[in-house]
């Protein structure tokens, strides 16, 4: 048979000790009550907000070193990976390093990352997936066009204390590139991103 449990009120355990002391002096003394001792209430500690882990720097595809349609596709694929990386790691420098100054999408990414940093925000989402790809050689060993159909995952924008302050739904988009080869590296001259209606 269970005994009656001890109630805890408001999480505070109070220890009360009352000592009555009888004195036989003169007309008799009043009872003496000892001070009440109350255990301090523990202060709840807030759970730390987990810090999102940024994506690892993407490894360039092996074919990226070739001035061929396949190499141009590899360059476009690396650009998409660096696009994701820029938002996840708050570092647009690698993407800008392979882009011409005239690339408007590249400038947009740089400005967006700078805004996240200045607001103390982060972006969380999975890496994009290349669904289809094709490339055309415009000028041999020099100019190429590349079209990549990309599945972009849903993402969230988080404040510095982990609250969700913005969200984007999964999107399928065509990345259409003009890419040049300068004899040793690829440069994204321009890229258009066209959302695909599904």
């Amino acid at each position: 048979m269970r005994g009656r449990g001890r109630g805890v009120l408001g999480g505070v355990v109070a220890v009360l000790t009352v000592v009555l002391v009888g004195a036989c002096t003169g007309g008799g003394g009043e009872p003496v009550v000892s001070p009440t001792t109350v255990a301090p209430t523990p202060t709840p500690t807030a759970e730390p907000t987990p810090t999102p882990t940024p994506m690892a720097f993407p490894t360039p595809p092996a074919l990226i070193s070739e001035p061929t349609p396949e190499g141009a596709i590899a360059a476009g694929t690396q650009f998409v990976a660096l696009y994701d990386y820029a938002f996840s790691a708050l570092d647009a420098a690698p993407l800008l390093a392979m882009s011409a100054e005239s690339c408007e999408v590249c400038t947009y990414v740089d400005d967006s990352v700078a805004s996240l940093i200045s607001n103390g925000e982060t972006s969380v989402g999975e890496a994009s997936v290349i669904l289809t790809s094709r490339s055309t050689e415009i000028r041999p060993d020099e100019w190429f066009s590349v079209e990549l159909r990309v599945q972009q995952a849903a993402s969230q924008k988080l404040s510095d204390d982990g609250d969700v302050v913005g969200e984007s739904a999964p999107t399928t988009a065509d990345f259409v590139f003009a890419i040049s080869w300068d004899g040793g590296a690829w440069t994204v001259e321009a890229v258009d991103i066209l959302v695909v209606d599904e």
Side-chain angles (χ1 to χ4, degrees):
M1 177 172 143
R2 288 187 180 176
R4 299 180 69 180
R6 296 186 181 181
V8 178
L9 180 60
V12 178
V13 178
V15 180
L16 302 177
T17 306
V18 179
V19 179
L20 300 178
V21 179
C24 297
T25 59
E30 293 297 324
V32 178
V33 180
S34 71
T36 301
T37 304
V38 179
T41 303
T43 303
T45 54
E47 290 293 325
T49 302
T51 302
T53 303
M55 293 179 183
F57 186 84
T59 302
L63 292 175
I64 202 169
S65 59
E66 299 179 1
T68 61
E70 294 75 19
I73 289 172
T77 300
Q78 180 68 358
F79 180 93
V80 172
L82 291 175
Y83 182 100
D84 292 339
Y85 174 82
F87 285 99
S88 176
L90 300 180
D91 181 9
L95 180 134
L96 295 176
M98 73 173 300
S99 307
E101 290 184 6
S102 58
C103 174
E104 294 180 2
V105 168
C106 310
T107 301
Y108 159 78
V109 172
D110 190 33
D111 291 345
S112 298
V113 169
S115 176
L116 288 171
I117 294 170
S118 123
N119 293 329
E121 297 168 340
T122 53
S123 180
V124 180
E126 299 297 321
S128 297
V129 177
I130 308 299
L131 302 177
T132 62
S133 62
R134 67 178 180 177
S135 175
T136 302
E137 192 171 31
I138 307 299
R139 185 181 301 163
D141 298 339
E142 187 176 351
W143 281 91
F144 298 80
S145 68
V146 175
E147 295 179 28
L148 302 178
R149 178 153 291 186
V150 178
Q151 177 66 59
Q152 294 178 293
S155 65
Q156 293 183 324
K157 184 165 62 172
L158 307 179
S159 67
D160 57 359
D161 56 5
D163 293 333
V164 177
V165 294
E167 294 183 283
S168 64
T171 304
T172 300
D174 288 335
F175 282 60
V176 182
F177 298 89
I179 300 182
S180 65
W181 173 262
D182 68 0
W186 293 98
T187 299
V188 173
E189 302 290 344
V191 56
D192 287 330
I193 302 176
L194 312 171
V195 175
V196 177
D197 294 327
E198 293 185 317

